[in-house]
Amino acid sequence: MIIENREQVTEAVLSELQRVKDARLREVLSAAVRHLHEFAREVQLSEAEFRRGCAILARAGQLTDKSHNEVVLLAGTLGLSSLVCLLNNGLDRGETTANLLGPFWREHAPETENGGSIVRSPTVGAPLFVTARVRNGAGEPIVDAEVDVWNTSAEGLYENQDPAQADMNLRGRFRTDQHGHIRFCTVKPAAYPVPVNGPVGDLLKVQGRANMRPAHMHFLIHKPGYKTHISQVYVNDDPYLETDAQFGVTRALIGDYIYHENEPAPDPEVTGPWYSLDFTFTMEPGDDSLPLAPISGRTEDDQRPEQVVWERL
């Protein structure tokens, strides 16, 4: 089509999209074009602003590598990740224990015996003993589900960011027992700042927002016949619950991390104070495929990343 006026641009693109054979892909692309074009019209997008937007997307791609995913981080900072999660999870779209995948899941974490530890090298942090229960919508246990877990050290670093930690430290895969339970030992995670050296930092700075994620543990639960369940369980006394830079905190996912000072720990080799967490996840029928891992390995830098903390203005 030879374009005669500005309205015909949208018409021309939508017309060409009708050639897409996959009906769902055609629907999604057509809606994206309509909304993008309408956005440009609504704000009267200038050429300079358009170029700046393209540069932001390009920069996010350039900063994404095997140990960091700026694109996923940007989607979370805009609340898109959380919205998509809540649109797609929850029986009858009610309350759900599903949550964001985040940018730090790695595939092929070591298979670990139920009751074992995922602390694979000396790691800063108070011992944390976790019991996770996996149920279906009727409250019945789901047996032999694979549960992938990962968390930061008490310094707020995942192992792929931190050369001082062993490969796959604080990561592991478990199988639920006949009661639908897994148990393991880790260290209590800490709140941490998201990187601010790219588009995410620019976006947070212009809004005067904190760049902190509240402390949390990650879970990815897989069982054929059930929708792959991705979750985070947040520490109940964390000061950043209300201002999470990724908009991930939901009421259903604030866990009760209990402090034990004088009681004996489940592992007799652990002395001193420790924490416990007991949490139940509810799976629903659906697509049991696994997501594409946002990262694939560790940083090649031999230095820990600088942790720049911005408080809310």
Side-chain angles (χ1 to χ4, degrees):
M1 176 187 292
I2 297 174
I3 306 301
E4 304 289 349
N5 55 60
R6 67 184 69 174
E7 300 303 326
Q8 282 190 339
V9 176
T10 307
E11 295 174 14
V13 179
L14 292 175
S15 177
E16 286 299 297
L17 284 174
Q18 297 310 303
R19 300 169 61 84
V20 176
K21 292 182 172 59
D22 185 295
R24 176 58 177 168
L25 179 58
R26 184 170 64 248
E27 177 187 14
V28 171
L29 288 175
S30 297
V33 167
R34 288 196 304 271
H35 287 287
L36 280 171
H37 286 213
E38 187 53 41
F39 160 73
R41 291 188 178 95
E42 179 183 335
V43 300
Q44 287 294 295
L45 195 66
S46 73
E47 291 166 302
E49 289 165 340
F50 172 72
R51 288 192 292 268
R52 175 61 178 154
C54 291
I56 288 171
L57 293 177
R59 180 67 173 147
Q62 291 159 0
L63 286 173
T64 297
D65 59 25
K66 70 178 183 179
S67 65
H68 173 76
N69 195 309
E70 187 80 4
V71 176
V72 173
L73 197 62
L74 182 59
T77 305
L78 293 169
L80 183 59
S81 301
S82 186
L83 176 60
V84 170
C85 173
L86 294 175
L87 285 171
N88 286 276
N89 291 280
L91 296 171
D92 298 323
R93 298 301 175 260
E95 187 174 75
T96 179
T97 53
N99 203 239
L100 316 177
L101 175 64
F104 290 110
W105 177 54
R106 289 181 65 186
E107 291 184 292
H108 312 306
E111 294 184 6
T112 308
E113 183 180 0
N114 214 339
S117 175
I118 59 172
V119 182
R120 308 185 188 282
S121 61
T123 307
V124 174
L128 170 65
F129 292 88
V130 179
T131 298
R133 309 168 193 276
V134 183
R135 301 287 186 263
N136 62 21
E140 300 164 334
I142 297 179
V143 178
D144 199 36
E146 183 179 78
V147 185
D148 202 332
V149 300
W150 66 103
N151 66 277
T152 71
S153 70
E155 296 176 300
L157 292 172
Y158 294 94
E159 57 80 30
N160 60 287
Q161 302 173 292
D162 185 2
Q165 296 184 46
D167 187 48
M168 292 292 182
N169 188 44
L170 307 184
R171 298 179 186 268
R173 284 183 293 150
F174 299 84
R175 291 278 178 181
T176 56
D177 62 18
Q178 68 271 27
H179 304 295
H181 297 173
I182 65 163
R183 296 177 180 85
F184 63 93
C185 179
T186 181
V187 299
K188 186 171 181 278
Y192 61 86
V194 301
V196 292
N197 62 328
V200 169
D202 295 339
L203 181 62
L204 293 172
K205 186 174 184 179
V206 77
Q207 297 174 77
R209 286 169 55 191
N211 68 324
M212 298 297 293
R213 290 232 64 210
H216 55 273
M217 287 227 36
H218 291 267
F219 297 80
L220 189 153
I221 309 171
H222 180 260
K223 171 78 174 184
Y226 290 88
K227 187 176 190 295
T228 298
H229 197 75
I230 299 164
S231 189
Q232 299 182 31
V233 181
Y234 298 90
V235 176
N236 47 302
D237 62 353
D238 192 282
Y240 298 103
L241 291 175
E242 296 280 355
T243 57
D244 178 16
Q246 296 284 287
F247 299 104
V249 181
T250 66
R251 191 67 60 189
L253 288 174
I254 300 175
D256 190 9
Y257 289 69
I258 299 174
Y259 177 71
H260 304 266
E261 186 171 13
N262 300 313
E263 303 168 54
D267 181 348
E269 294 186 6
V270 171
T271 60
W274 53 282
Y275 287 83
S276 64
L277 171 67
D278 193 319
F279 199 85
T280 300
F281 299 94
T282 302
M283 299 185 77
E284 56 188 283
D287 179 9
D288 60 16
S289 62
L290 291 171
L292 180 68
I295 60 171
S296 60
R298 293 165 60 85
T299 178
E300 295 179 357
D301 194 339
D302 61 359
Q303 300 294 320
R304 293 183 177 187
E306 182 182 6
Q307 291 185 294
V308 179
V309 176
W310 290 348
E311 298 295 344
R312 189 177 178 88
L313 299 181

